[in-house]
Amino acid sequence: MSTRQSRFEAACAPWGDAFAGPIVIGGNYQSVLSHGDTVYVSGQVPRVGTTVQVTGRVGAGTSLEQARTGARISVLRALALLRQELGSLDRIQQLLRVTVYVQCADDFTQHSEVADSASDLLVEVLGAAGRHTRTSVGVLQLPKNASVEIDLVAARG
């Protein structure tokens, strides 16, 4: 029988043990903040270790498929942070909101297709608790030239 943890580990497998240890942040902010039963995860870029894996402007040198990979990596980082904060992915009662930022060319309009990759992975790992509201937007720039950044809000169970 598959569990949230086993599905998470399967999704992380292509990246080795990159999501097993502490997720490093680079600033004076909290990567995860709990307030009551609500847990906020700050924006995560597709960084594995110290390297941002997907960079550049989507639709102008960076492909839709690369951006979708970046969205999956960003979600894995967010889930790893939630697991560290809560002790287990089983403590997530419901994912509430996901925001996906896509650094893109002026004429790129497939923001939701990039975001679908993140949403699909969240449901794959968390089941029905991974269903969420979502906003996806195109932006001019993101930190470290990342192609994608994702933040999310979850309810603790």
Side-chain angles (χ1 to χ4, degrees), residues 42 45 62-63 66 71 92 95 108 112 127-128 145 147-148:
S42 65
V45 298
T62 301
S63 71
Q66 289 170 311
I92 298 170
L95 205 58
F108 183 80
S112 58
N145 196 33
S147 296
V148 179

Side-chain angles (χ1 to χ4, degrees), residues 29 64 108-109:
Y29 64 93
L64 171 62
F108 183 80
T109 60

Side-chain angles (χ1 to χ4, degrees), residues 57-77:
R57 201 166 298 290
V58 183
T62 301
S63 71
L64 171 62
E65 208 46 51
Q66 289 170 311
R68 288 172 55 83
T69 296
R72 288 178 64 88
I73 295 168
S74 298
V75 161
L76 290 173
R77 286 177 58 89

Side-chain angles (χ1 to χ4, degrees), residues 37-69:
D37 289 336
T38 305
V39 184
Y40 300 86
V41 178
S42 65
Q44 299 300 307
V45 298
R47 182 181 296 146
V48 176
T50 59
T51 305
V52 178
Q53 299 292 314
V54 183
T55 59
R57 201 166 298 290
V58 183
T62 301
S63 71
L64 171 62
E65 208 46 51
Q66 289 170 311
R68 288 172 55 83
T69 296

Side-chain angles (χ1 to χ4, degrees), residues 12-139:
C12 291
W15 307 104
D17 63 357
F19 301 101
I23 301 295
V24 179
I25 62 171
N28 188 17
Y29 64 93
Q30 295 293 123
S31 54
V32 182
L33 184 67
S34 293
H35 185 266
D37 289 336
T38 305
V39 184
Y40 300 86
V41 178
S42 65
Q44 299 300 307
V45 298
R47 182 181 296 146
V48 176
T50 59
T51 305
V52 178
Q53 299 292 314
V54 183
T55 59
R57 201 166 298 290
V58 183
T62 301
S63 71
L64 171 62
E65 208 46 51
Q66 289 170 311
R68 288 172 55 83
T69 296
R72 288 178 64 88
I73 295 168
S74 298
V75 161
L76 290 173
R77 286 177 58 89
L79 287 171
L81 286 164
L82 282 169
R83 183 179 64 175
Q84 288 173 8
E85 175 75 8
L86 302 175
S88 168
L89 294 176
D90 291 332
R91 303 246 357 252
I92 298 170
Q93 178 183 10
Q94 184 67 53
L95 205 58
L96 302 173
R97 180 150 186 81
V98 174
T99 307
V100 180
Y101 304 92
V102 182
Q103 179 191 182
C104 60
D106 292 345
D107 60 348
F108 183 80
T109 60
Q110 294 178 291
H111 310 96
S112 58
E113 286 84 345
V114 174
D116 285 344
S117 180
S119 295
D120 291 346
L121 181 57
L122 288 164
V123 172
E124 177 185 320
V125 171
L126 300 175
R131 298 201 183 283
H132 52 272
T133 64
R134 182 181 85 191
T135 299
S136 55
V137 296
V139 298

